Amino acid sequence: MAIERRTIVYDGPGGPFEGVAAFDPAWDGPRPGVMIVPNVLGQKEQDNLVAERLAGLGYVGFAADTYGQGKRTTRESTDPALYMNQLNADRALLRDRLQASVAAMRALPEVDANRTAAIGYCFGGKSVIDLARAGGVLGVVAFHGIFDPPDYDYPKPIAAKLLICHGWNDPLAPPAAVTALAAELTEAGADWQLHGYGHAGHGFTDPSMKGSARPGFGYDENADRRSWKAMRAFLGELFA
């Protein structure tokens, strides 16, 4: 298996946007597409590597861009949350950019346009829950996401299936926010499941956060491994 990458520049509100697709050119016919929505920092190599891991599972991985071409931050930036905060202030724009990203993924010749999903990390976890609310994919997986609802009405029942992978010690999504999300999704008629990981906090999948001294934040090897395994089972069932 020789996984290849392709840079994808695509249109959307406030664009252009630049993502990366990963796939095996030896595949015979199109495969399900799984979009990756990045964390607070935006599209980066870490997300491209996730796309390659998904390609290794037999999917087309597409590391999407919701900020815009060239709009990225690092943890050392003066304001790492600059672009995230702009979208937090305009959830409808976030929704529209997510759907433009899904459309770009569906247009890839390697992708079966009728079999798509999305996964997201941190702000990306919040984003894919918004995508489930708005529609456009069969299912979503949120890793240590944020759970506040958008400020607009969305179609019900929610058609997309949801897997929420949550670190129980995450201060950005305390128990009250978790139960509020569960109540919202239940009322909206969604097919949802929640995996809570004890002693894990925000960013539990991110190896760059190993040894974090910030309470409730940091990498957790067990939660990372278990949540990836849960995602694999979820996608396998979704695309069966």
Side-chain angles (χ1 to χ4, degrees), residues 11-24:
D11 293 325
F17 300 90
E18 183 175 319
V20 171
F23 56 93
D24 185 343

Side-chain angles (χ1 to χ4, degrees), residues 149-162:
D151 55 358
Y152 55 79
D153 292 330
Y154 56 84
K156 299 179 183 68
I158 292 176
K161 298 180 180 180
L162 299 98

